[in-house]
Amino acid sequence: MNLLFSIDDRFYQQLLTTLYSIKLNSSLDGEEINVYVIANGHFHYSAQLAAGCRRLGMHYHEVPIPDTAFQNAPVTDRYPLTIYYRLLAHLYLPQELHRILYLDADILCINDLRPLYSTDLNGYLYASAIHTNLTNATEVINKIRLQNFDADGYYNSGVLLMNLDEIRSHVRPNDIFNYIRSHVLLLPDQDVLNALYGHHIKSVPDELYNFDVRNLRIYETISMGVDTLDWVMKNTVLLHYCGRQKPWLENVNHGKFTALYKNYFQMAKKFLLA
């Protein structure tokens, strides 16, 4: 299993928490787990991540991005270099990799990750989830804004299963750079993903693989009362702590999901420091 992350110095402990939760809850059966972390020259925690991965029985690989990597890319305060990392990771990952799962570092795995990782990607560049809403108004607005009417909806890029062979053939830096130069974007990398490649993404259910912890009541309502907290704990694989109010911050409370994250965060620190 190949896992991909892109973090800065603020998130290395959160990344180790994500990895700990994957180790604890997935049926890996001795499978080799390779953890690839995209980092620029300003990342200072490679040694700590490597040690944490060894403790978890995983293999750490730093993916260095040279300072000259995106010298032709439009870069501003709004569009920093980091927006290109997950979209163009295939340029810097080993050629022998065929599949990799990108995860944001504000995610917990609470059930088996293997079914998502094994998703059939034949004919697709990616697999991703569209976040559930009570109405489709946001979806319609995004389709008009991005002019991607063939896509099923607006995909969240925090969980992105990548078909690297297809991506290497179809995802080109200049297409991305030109799109950014000619459009005003709200969520730069996510907007580009949806606008250019939305019709090449396989949809997976967000209630299983990208559950927005802020929206438990919305999931319950849309599912006619099926997706309760008990259902989530038994069935959901990836909890995504979206938004600015992160569960590791003081005085942030998303109810039971925040308590669950804090528990994993503490367990991971104890395990990795033991």
Side-chain angles (χ1 to χ4, degrees):
M1 182 180 289
N2 302 312
L3 303 174
L4 177 66
F5 299 87
S6 178
I7 63 169
D8 60 25
D9 283 352
R10 298 170 298 169
F11 282 87
Y12 88 95
Q13 290 183 326
Q14 290 80 358
L15 170 52
L16 288 171
T17 301
T18 300
L19 294 175
Y20 176 77
S21 71
I22 292 171
K23 177 77 171 180
L24 203 62
N25 295 307
S26 294
S27 56
L28 302 175
D29 299 324
E31 179 180 0
E32 184 175 285
I33 308 299
N34 291 293
V35 178
Y36 293 86
V37 177
I38 300 174
N40 59 29
H42 306 291
F43 184 66
H44 300 101
Y45 289 96
S46 288
Q48 290 88 335
L49 283 180
C53 285
R54 284 195 299 271
R55 185 85 169 90
L56 292 166
M58 301 176 179
H59 304 281
Y60 172 74
H61 308 271
E62 184 175 334
V63 183
I65 303 293
D67 292 336
T68 58
F70 303 120
Q71 57 187 357
N72 296 321
V75 177
T76 66
D77 289 343
R78 180 169 174 73
Y79 304 143
L81 282 176
T82 53
I83 69 172
Y84 301 108
Y85 288 176
R86 87 186 79 181
L87 295 174
L88 296 173
H90 60 283
L91 300 176
Y92 299 95
L93 290 167
Q95 288 294 308
E96 61 268 22
L97 296 186
H98 304 290
R99 171 182 297 241
I100 199 165
L101 176 61
Y102 171 85
L103 297 174
D104 280 351
D106 56 355
I107 283 174
L108 278 185
C109 175
I110 61 171
N111 281 295
D112 191 3
L113 189 59
R114 167 55 58 185
L116 173 61
Y117 190 80
S118 302
T119 298
D120 182 5
L121 286 178
N122 187 36
Y124 293 94
L125 300 177
Y126 308 96
S128 184
I130 301 163
H131 273 153
T132 298
N133 291 292
L134 283 174
T135 72
N136 68 347
T138 302
E139 179 180 319
V140 171
I141 290 169
N142 281 324
K143 285 190 174 186
I144 294 171
R145 184 170 64 84
L146 301 174
Q147 297 292 294
N148 63 337
F149 298 102
D150 292 336
D152 291 337
Y154 188 78
Y155 293 97
N156 181 276
S157 61
V159 177
L160 206 57
L161 183 62
M162 300 180 174
N163 181 347
L164 290 173
D165 294 326
E166 289 294 318
I167 290 170
R168 290 184 185 112
S169 297
H170 294 92
V171 178
R172 300 176 178 86
N174 282 337
D175 293 341
I176 293 172
F177 301 159
N178 291 335
Y179 186 86
I180 290 177
R181 287 189 186 99
S182 58
H183 294 80
V184 176
L185 309 178
L186 298 180
L187 299 171
D189 57 334
Q190 195 161 275
D191 279 357
V192 171
L193 174 74
N194 281 274
L196 295 183
Y197 311 112
H199 53 299
H200 295 299
I201 299 177
K202 184 171 188 174
S203 293
V204 296
D206 64 322
E207 67 270 20
L208 293 178
Y209 299 125
N210 198 335
F211 188 98
D212 186 337
V213 300
R214 300 169 298 180
N215 293 336
L216 176 60
R217 296 294 174 244
I218 291 176
Y219 287 106
E220 283 191 52
T221 301
I222 290 175
S223 68
M224 303 297 290
V226 173
D227 296 353
T228 62
L229 180 62
D230 285 342
W231 185 95
V232 170
M233 296 306 297
K234 291 177 183 177
N235 297 282
T236 295
V237 176
L238 297 175
L239 297 177
H240 195 174
Y241 290 81
C242 302
R244 296 180 180 274
Q245 300 300 306
K246 300 301 185 186
W248 55 84
L249 300 175
E250 292 185 4
N251 302 316
V252 170
N253 186 4
H254 289 305
K256 297 177 177 64
F257 290 123
T258 294
L260 180 66
Y261 185 91
K262 290 181 183 297
N263 181 244
Y264 271 90
F265 192 80
Q266 291 174 356
M267 287 194 300
K269 289 181 73 172
K270 290 177 181 178
F271 176 81
L272 295 170
L273 294 175

